Amino acid sequence: MTKDGAFEIRVRGRVQGVGFRPAVWRHAQALALDGDVLNDSDGVLVRVAGAADRAAALVDALRRDLPPLAEIQSIETRDCTAILPSGFRIVESQGGAANTQVSPDARLCAACETEIADPANRRFGYAFTNCTHCGPRLSIVASIPYDRATTTMAAFPMCADCRTEYGDPANRRFHAEPIACPACGPRLVLHTADGAAMDGDPIMGAARLLTDGAILAVKGLGGYQLACDAANPDAVTRLRQAKKREGKPFALMLRDLDAVRHICELGDDEARLLNSAAAPIVLLRARAGAKLAPQVAPGLDNLGVMLPTTPLHALLLAELDTPLVMTSGNLTGEPQITQDTEAMEKLPAVASHILSHDRAIANRVDDSVVRVMAGVPRVIRRARGYAPAPIRLPAGFEVAPEILALGGELKSTFCLVKDGQATLSQHQGDLEQAAAFDEFRRNIDLYRILFDSAPSLVAVDVHPDYLSSKHGRAMALPLLEIQHHHAHIASCLAENGWPLDGAEVLGIALDGLGLGADGTIWGGEFLLADYRGFMRLAHFKPVAMPGGAAAIREPWRNLHAHLAAAKVPMDGFSALRGKPLETIAAMMERGINAPLASSCGRLFDAVAAALELCVDAQAYEGDAAARLETLAGAAEGGDGYDFAVSNRLIDPAPMWTQLRADRDAGMDYAVIATRFHTGLARALTDMTRKLSGFDTVALSGGCFQNRLLFEQTLRRLEGAGFTVLTHARVPANDGGLALGQAAIAAARTIKGDRTCV
Ligand SMILES: [Zn+2]
Ligand SMILES: [Zn+2]
């Protein structure tokens, strides 16, 4: 015992399973401190003997030199009365109390990358190398507490060498639960399509096959993938045909940043993102003349690019001179495959060979997608590397009950709230797919175990037909129904730390469709909103969606409806040639299967159809809008087209007249596309200036993933003196809905309901 007493340091945040205790131990050794460190249900607790400056020195050292995957939320130091023996110890967790958090999967770290490339290292060429700074987490965990026994590494008893590393606080692999080496860990195997294992080195064999133009299935971190040589038009075309995937761009994997620079323009922010522990797919502008098959991303100038995420991928890419297409391993309309038996059964329809291994995937975790817009990385699909990292809710939310929010229908996620913290699930996919919906339900159960959650309230979208809403209603819990666009805005508020009692903001929510508070379809909304409620101040002029759901798929229908609404002649628009226009006109006239929608997404579809970019069918949600953005590119468009902004309505009619005139005059379509984007951003700003009751604007909804629209709107609104809140960590699209629903449900429980109009 020392005569100076002792101090207790409480650390909260992402501090378990990320090498935090050994970091404390190392710093304590260096500072010659006596004391101990342990994990408990609140995070990490450190006890240090001596005067206050001893504890302060340790806190300083920790803040300066944090393990790469750790994130400190708070550190509190206070006196304690403990009597501490000399030396510094890592104390084992007290039974069941620890490890309340599961971390996201993390990309191969630099130290491990060096080891697998070093012939003298015992992990040379080993595809499952990892340490506390990197490797699988969410993708292998089946229960809590997070230790080897609850992961799919339980099947691999550690060898003596690994056990020594695992037990040594000075080692980078101290308590690295998935620790493995060639002697004890998982093994790669290269199969032919009929399941026979091939002789020779699996990586070399796989690389040879890819070079020869084969399509290869690869068992990746969170699911099977399909790979082929991205410079080989024949291979990429076969992959497209086999996956029945017509237009949606394929993601690429490249060996390093230099390889990325050869095919894309790469900013510093983007390079950092590619290299980060999350290592998402980053959307980059393709360089002209890049050596790639044109079938990789037809009609788009954006490429989705990632670096090798696991040692397996790094080893494979090291043997290849070419970028790989790396897309999810599934058949059309199904989620990415994770199970070996299913892979062996289905993937031979696409791939000639399968590079697999014997570590099971416990949870499907898709690749995340991020785009840098207005200088900030913005997550478009939040999965590998980001989920399930918690999102701290703003001050005031700590007293909320435990809540489960179920999100939307497409790009689905769900969200758990507990102790003022929101845990947003990884991307679950489109629930209309039966397999995705099954997994969605399974994952809710899993997250409830992982995060020790017992919700007393469930929040769903007001849309009665969303499968997530039906699922929520079937649960034996009190239910809150949340309007779609209000949830979008609340999601933006929550991720920006907007206070529970914060003033109302103007939420501009632009997307495809969501059910409105008045029972009609919304999608271009100006809501005066806080967490508890909203008032619909203005919106886009409702226009018919002839054919209902068909109008979501077929852009020409929206062109017809918009031209009709704007009273602009339809002759000469080739997109409408040969279409059953009279039937459509009759449907709209009589209001049969032609619901009105104030949707900004459908407006994008209509303009894309007018410019013949995407006429008969969208290959995927947002296809038409993405092509329109690409076409606009860097063309000059002046002030853009005029929209009528009055009476709390944005009416695109003048835009259609001008667009038609430009078109008739033979104007370059790129200029027309630019004028549309610019005019729309101007209209949003003009409407915002006409409205009152706020000085902060929140932008949300999938349309704001369009860089041109987003950056122009942001610049104009800020230029007009507004503070603008935007999405970054949480998708602006429906992938962020669950967070907003959760925040609204929490706020209403804490502060009481407020009427929504
Ligand atoms: Zn590592
Ligand atoms: Zn080993």
Side-chain angles (χ1 to χ4, degrees):
M1 181 189 170
T2 65
K3 57 182 184 302
D4 297 334
F7 283 84
E8 204 173 80
I9 306 168
R10 158 65 63 200
V11 190
R12 291 188 174 85
R14 190 198 294 173
V15 290
Q16 295 183 3
V18 293
F20 196 84
R21 287 176 306 159
V24 172
W25 181 87
R26 276 195 308 277
H27 291 307
Q29 298 288 332
L31 294 164
L33 299 177
D34 297 328
D36 56 23
V37 54
L38 60 84
N39 283 342
D40 64 14
S41 56
D42 282 340
V44 164
L45 187 68
V46 189
R47 299 188 301 174
V48 177
D53 60 330
R54 312 279 284 163
L58 180 61
V59 170
D60 278 354
L62 279 173
R63 286 200 189 273
R64 256 200 324 275
D65 183 19
L66 204 59
L69 299 181
E71 266 176 32
I72 293 180
Q73 222 167 56
S74 67
I75 300 188
E76 291 158 28
T77 305
R78 61 172 195 201
D79 288 328
C80 76
T81 54
I83 297 168
L84 299 165
S86 61
F88 197 91
R89 295 182 313 136
I90 296 178
V91 180
E92 281 312 307
S93 313
Q94 311 298 319
N99 291 317
T100 54
Q101 288 193 7
V102 174
S103 310
D105 300 288
R107 173 176 188 243
L108 173 68
C109 75
C112 287
E113 194 164 13
T114 306
E115 287 181 357
I116 62 171
D118 172 9
N121 192 284
R122 72 189 191 94
R123 291 190 174 85
F124 175 61
Y126 185 54
F128 303 92
T129 302
N130 66 80
C131 71
T132 45
H133 304 160
C134 74
R137 299 286 194 278
L138 176 63
S139 60
I140 58 167
V141 65
S143 186
I144 51 165
Y146 173 68
D147 62 30
R148 194 177 183 91
T150 60
T151 71
T152 58
M153 282 302 293
F156 303 92
M158 278 181 230
C159 68
D161 288 342
C162 284
R163 183 160 295 286
T164 303
E165 293 171 339
Y166 182 89
D168 173 8
N171 194 287
R172 207 174 79 243
R173 297 194 168 89
F174 176 74
H175 279 241
E177 302 304 341
I179 186 175
C181 78
C184 65
R187 279 161 205 259
L188 279 178
V189 57
L190 183 60
H191 290 292
T192 59
D194 56 17
M198 293 174 73
D199 292 335
D201 181 82
I203 294 280
M204 294 298 193
R208 251 193 319 275
L209 287 164
L210 288 166
T211 307
D212 292 345
I215 295 172
L216 186 73
V218 179
K219 188 176 183 183
L221 186 70
Y224 273 85
Q225 298 163 312
L226 289 162
C228 74
D229 177 354
N232 182 333
D234 171 60
V236 182
T237 303
R238 273 185 288 122
L239 181 55
R240 279 213 178 277
Q241 286 165 351
K243 275 197 83 175
K244 299 194 182 65
R245 177 154 147 162
E246 308 244 304
K248 196 169 182 182
F250 283 136
L252 301 177
M253 185 177 277
L254 288 96
R255 60 196 293 175
D256 54 28
L257 290 177
D258 278 342
V260 176
R261 285 192 189 95
H262 271 107
I263 61 161
C264 296
E265 324 237 334
L266 184 66
D268 291 347
D269 291 342
E270 293 157 336
R272 262 196 301 279
L273 258 179
L274 286 168
N275 247 333
S276 67
I281 293 170
V282 180
L283 297 186
L284 299 172
R285 197 179 293 276
R287 267 188 201 287
K291 269 180 36 191
L292 283 179
Q295 296 83 355
V296 168
L300 295 181
D301 66 350
N302 277 308
L303 293 173
V305 172
M306 63 183 146
L307 294 182
T309 49
T310 69
L312 191 169
H313 294 105
L315 293 165
L316 183 59
L317 271 286
E319 299 302 325
L320 295 162
D321 283 332
T322 176
L324 291 183
V325 164
M326 192 63 78
T327 187
S328 61
N330 58 347
L331 301 182
T332 319
E334 294 180 2
Q336 187 173 24
I337 292 171
T338 57
Q339 302 304 308
D340 298 336
T341 43
E342 190 184 0
M344 284 311 299
E345 186 185 309
K346 293 182 172 171
L347 293 181
V350 184
S352 65
H353 295 76
I354 300 181
L355 180 59
S356 188
H357 57 76
D358 51 357
R359 185 177 75 202
I361 297 170
N363 301 305
R364 174 167 65 87
V365 187
D366 296 80
D367 292 317
S368 292
V369 180
V370 180
R371 187 177 199 187
V372 175
M373 297 196 294
V376 175
R378 300 178 193 274
V379 175
I380 289 173
R381 182 167 72 201
R382 188 175 177 276
R384 178 179 53 74
Y386 295 107
I391 295 160
R392 183 108 214 128
L393 291 174
F397 278 97
E398 300 83 359
V399 295
E402 292 190 33
I403 293 167
L404 169 64
L406 294 179
E409 177 91 338
L410 303 177
K411 303 182 173 69
S412 155
T413 59
F414 59 86
C415 183
L416 290 169
V417 170
K418 183 181 177 178
D419 300 332
Q421 202 148 264
T423 303
L424 187 62
S425 77
Q426 80 268 32
H427 169 81
Q428 304 288 312
D430 298 347
L431 299 186
E432 292 159 348
Q433 304 168 353
F437 186 48
D438 285 346
E439 236 178 64
F440 173 79
R441 287 178 292 189
R442 260 204 317 279
N443 281 333
I444 291 171
D445 293 340
L446 174 72
Y447 269 62
R448 285 176 64 169
I449 294 169
L450 295 183
F451 297 93
D452 190 21
S453 158
S456 58
L457 185 65
V458 60
V460 299
D461 193 280
V462 289
H463 200 304
D465 298 335
Y466 283 180
L467 288 169
S468 56
S469 305
K470 290 181 175 170
H471 183 58
R473 268 195 289 276
M475 298 175 100
L477 286 173
L479 184 87
L480 260 180
E481 296 185 335
I482 314 277
Q483 200 277 323
H484 191 93
H485 303 94
H486 184 206
H488 271 307
I489 300 307
S491 169
C492 185
L493 294 180
E495 85 150 289
N496 282 284
W498 194 253
L500 176 59
D501 286 321
E504 289 176 298
V505 304
L506 181 73
I508 306 181
L510 306 183
D511 67 359
L513 309 167
L515 185 59
D518 59 0
T520 70
I521 301 169
W522 293 6
E525 310 306 314
F526 293 76
L527 309 179
L528 185 66
D530 58 16
Y531 288 110
R532 289 156 64 210
F534 67 91
M535 186 190 291
R536 190 189 195 200
L537 292 189
H539 54 90
F540 281 46
K541 183 184 172 183
V543 171
M545 291 195 351
I552 299 172
R553 288 189 305 272
E554 301 174 15
W556 68 269
R557 291 173 183 266
N558 301 294
L559 174 61
H560 179 101
H562 267 277
L563 291 172
K567 301 192 169 54
V568 168
M570 296 184 198
D571 58 293
F573 280 103
S574 68
L576 300 179
R577 216 167 284 150
K579 298 291 192 293
L581 301 187
E582 281 172 24
T583 317
I584 296 288
M587 280 165 74
M588 292 197 294
E589 195 141 313
R590 293 191 211 127
I592 298 166
N593 197 19
L596 293 175
S598 57
S599 164
C600 183
R602 298 292 84 83
L603 173 62
F604 268 91
D605 293 354
V607 174
L611 302 185
E612 295 145 45
L613 290 172
C614 186
V615 172
D616 290 332
Q618 304 206 62
Y620 56 97
E621 199 204 7
D623 182 12
R627 286 167 189 262
L628 196 59
E629 181 193 343
T630 293
L631 176 65
E636 272 299 322
D639 263 357
Y641 294 133
D642 296 323
F643 289 68
V645 178
S646 62
N647 295 331
R648 314 204 150 196
L649 217 56
I650 292 184
D651 182 351
M655 181 279 294
W656 284 112
T657 306
Q658 292 166 350
L659 182 150
R660 187 183 164 110
D662 275 355
R663 191 189 155 286
D664 291 350
M667 177 74 71
D668 183 350
Y669 278 7
V671 176
I672 295 181
T674 305
R675 288 186 172 173
F676 166 70
H677 283 89
T678 306
L680 184 56
R682 184 159 57 86
L684 297 176
T685 311
D686 289 348
M687 179 57 89
T688 303
R689 300 170 88 138
K690 281 178 189 285
L691 302 172
S692 58
F694 56 88
D695 45 29
T696 298
V697 180
L699 304 181
S700 191
C703 294
F704 283 116
Q705 286 171 178
N706 176 310
R707 169 150 55 186
L708 268 185
L709 179 67
F710 175 77
E711 291 183 345
Q712 292 203 24
T713 305
L714 180 63
R715 198 170 57 234
R716 284 170 186 271
L717 287 171
E718 287 182 341
F722 296 103
T723 302
V724 185
L725 307 178
T726 60
H727 284 284
R729 287 180 298 157
V730 173
N733 62 35
D734 284 5
L737 273 185
L739 174 65
Q741 293 170 346
I744 291 168
R748 288 192 181 155
T749 318
I750 299 167
K751 308 283 293 183
D753 264 357
R754 218 167 64 81
T755 324
C756 298
V757 240

